[in-house]
Amino acid sequence: MDKLKDTVKQFIAHGDAISIAKIKKGYINSTYKVETLSEHNHIHQYILQRINTAVFPNVDALMSNFQLTTNHLAQNLQMPAQHRRGTVQMLRPTKDGKLYFKDDSGCWRLMTYFDDVYSLDIPDSPEVFYYVGLSFGQFIKAMGTMELEKIQVVIPNFHNTASRYTDLEAAIARDAQGRVGSVTDEISFIRARKDSFGKITDALESGKIPTRICHNDCNLNNVLFDNETHLPVAIIDLDTVMPSSPLYDFGDSMRIGTNTAKDDEKDLSLVSCDLLLYEMYARGYLEACGDILTKEELELLPYAAPIITAEDGIRFLTDHINGDTYYHIDYPGQNLDRARTQLKLLEDMEKKLPEIKAILQKIYDELALDVKLCP
């Protein structure tokens, strides 16, 4: 605790830290809620975070992206229940004017803490998921006014399903922990679908669809809601903001939010894609940014959720085979449970693809988006 308090002292904050508590959310960085006491006996709250440099080795690029993104969104993103603190977590500089502090324990940053808010891991109503879609759609539209070249790639091929599949095959060949023999069914399921994994990346590389600045981690719990109005206040977790496709953002939210079970559910009979939730999110998202998406992007939108669901299943399975080196786990085999959940969800999405297309076509028609999906 004393070490953490000393770290807080390196930043420009109001007073000294009087309490620091770990926030047990997120797979990647270590996050703490900090309370400081100013000279006027006012309590101030911040987020202190140690950056996972194994995931983000180029911290300078990461923090440059973060500052550029937050500064831009502070001017261009308006949330339905925006607080006085704004729409994003703004950085507090160090006392020597830097974006982060580095010592022998790692790289640290201090950011805005939002009070009187909550987050959800799964939607507690269809209306909530509508507002999540609206929020991430507004994010895409707001970032569309920023020069693409300013944002650096901090994790190459972060959303590149074909590349993730190549990583899986390499992990299978190494079999570092001797686990491949116990996951042959999952490997066969993925291999049977490998020809579909390049649908989005091929379109990006060929120029068929544009590259845009995207959030790239559109988890429901990255939208904060106001305690009283239950409307969105802010979008957080901006470390993966990079050039990509909004198809991945859209699909990732659907992967997380429409799943009727936990992300590490052992009873796979509970896993399915909730189409009412799908429709509500799609409506919010397209109301916010449908007018800037191209015809080609809208034609690919039905495939976004299955592709990103496959990608996450591949990533969890790869990490399980490698020995759980990327994602935090709470028990042995959790990454395998996560992989199995994703693959079951993918299977259900594939079965429901005609219904998904019908949902999207209805919204396209209502919003006068000139696209006709193939049945």
Side-chain angles (χ1 to χ4, degrees):
M1 187 60 65
D2 288 341
K3 179 70 171 174
L4 291 174
K5 288 182 178 180
D6 287 341
T7 299
V8 174
K9 287 181 179 179
Q10 306 304 315
F11 294 89
I12 297 175
H14 297 285
D16 293 330
I18 57 172
S19 122
I20 300 178
K22 182 150 192 179
I23 297 175
K24 297 180 180 179
K25 278 196 173 184
Y27 291 157
I28 308 301
N29 299 313
S30 298
T31 306
Y32 303 84
K33 176 185 174 183
V34 175
E35 290 187 343
T36 65
L37 183 65
S38 71
E39 59 183 10
H40 301 295
N41 290 324
H42 291 158
I43 299 293
H44 301 268
Q45 298 173 316
Y46 303 95
I47 290 292
L48 176 68
Q49 199 166 61
R50 182 171 60 192
I51 300 165
N52 186 332
T53 54
V55 177
F56 302 107
N58 189 343
V59 179
D60 288 335
L62 174 77
M63 295 304 291
S64 172
N65 283 358
F66 197 100
Q67 184 182 47
L68 287 168
T69 299
T70 53
N71 288 347
H72 185 80
L73 291 177
Q75 300 298 319
N76 294 279
L77 178 62
Q78 181 71 40
M79 302 290 282
Q82 182 172 329
H83 281 195
R84 67 191 183 283
R85 292 176 177 266
T87 59
V88 287
Q89 290 177 304
M90 302 299 290
L91 293 167
R92 304 288 300 190
T94 65
K95 289 178 178 176
D96 57 358
K98 296 181 180 178
L99 300 180
Y100 67 95
F101 169 68
K102 183 177 181 180
D103 64 8
D104 57 3
S105 66
C107 296
W108 298 86
R109 62 188 171 194
L110 196 70
M111 303 177 291
T112 305
Y113 176 84
F114 288 94
D115 50 7
D116 299 321
V117 299
Y118 66 94
S119 64
L120 297 165
D121 292 325
I122 58 173
D124 61 1
S125 71
E127 291 74 23
V128 160
F129 208 38
Y130 163 83
Y131 279 110
V132 175
L134 187 74
S135 299
F136 282 124
Q138 289 173 328
F139 176 94
I140 286 293
K141 194 160 188 176
M143 293 304 294
T145 60
M146 185 175 182
E147 294 177 33
L148 183 70
E149 295 75 18
K150 289 185 175 181
I151 299 297
Q152 302 175 63
V153 175
V154 293
I155 304 179
N157 293 317
F158 182 68
H159 279 318
N160 183 329
T161 316
S163 176
R164 296 293 187 179
Y165 174 71
T166 300
D167 293 341
L168 172 62
E169 289 290 1
I172 293 168
R174 288 192 303 270
D175 195 12
Q177 302 296 319
R179 296 176 174 179
V180 168
S182 63
V183 292
T184 55
D185 289 346
E186 289 77 14
I187 292 170
S188 296
F189 181 91
I190 292 168
R191 283 174 171 166
R193 289 156 174 78
K194 65 179 182 179
D195 290 343
S196 67
F197 295 157
K199 191 179 288 285
I200 295 174
T201 51
D202 290 349
L204 282 170
E205 291 170 4
S206 68
K208 182 179 178 182
I209 61 174
T211 299
R212 303 181 188 271
I213 300 174
C214 302
H215 188 283
N216 288 306
D217 188 12
C218 290
N219 198 320
L220 174 62
N221 60 26
N222 286 331
V223 177
L224 301 181
F225 291 86
D226 181 81
N227 282 344
E228 292 186 6
T229 66
H230 305 292
L231 294 173
V233 171
I235 293 178
I236 61 172
D237 201 356
L238 305 177
D239 286 340
T240 54
V241 171
M242 289 182 289
S244 184
S245 168
L247 298 175
Y248 284 124
D249 278 6
F250 178 88
D252 208 19
S253 285
M254 292 301 195
R255 174 188 70 81
I256 298 161
T258 67
N259 186 359
T260 56
K262 300 181 300 181
D263 72 346
D264 57 356
E265 180 59 61
K266 294 179 183 294
D267 182 357
L268 296 181
S269 68
L270 300 177
V271 179
S272 66
C273 174
D274 185 317
L275 291 181
L276 173 59
L277 291 174
Y278 188 104
E279 180 171 357
M280 292 298 285
Y281 183 95
R283 185 172 299 280
Y285 193 83
L286 290 167
E287 284 177 6
C289 70
D291 61 329
I292 70 166
L293 299 181
T294 66
K295 179 174 181 286
E296 290 76 16
E297 286 173 304
L298 294 170
E299 287 174 342
L300 283 173
L301 202 61
Y303 306 99
I307 288 173
I308 197 66
T309 302
E311 181 176 304
D312 267 65
I314 290 168
R315 291 178 66 188
F316 285 131
L317 185 60
T318 301
D319 201 32
H320 172 74
I321 292 171
N322 283 337
D324 309 303
T325 59
Y326 185 85
Y327 294 109
H328 293 314
I329 58 170
D330 296 321
Y331 62 85
Q334 188 175 20
N335 275 325
L336 179 56
D337 288 339
R338 290 167 175 160
R340 287 171 172 164
T341 299
Q342 297 305 305
L343 298 183
K344 178 64 188 304
L345 182 61
L346 168 60
E347 186 176 45
D348 191 57
M349 288 176 173
E350 290 173 341
K351 291 176 182 176
K352 293 175 177 174
L353 187 58
E355 295 167 271
I356 287 171
K357 288 183 176 181
I359 288 169
L360 290 174
Q361 187 64 67
K362 180 174 71 171
I363 298 172
Y364 292 172
D365 293 344
E366 291 174 1
L367 297 178
L369 301 174
D370 187 20
V371 178
K372 296 299 179 185
L373 297 173
C374 298

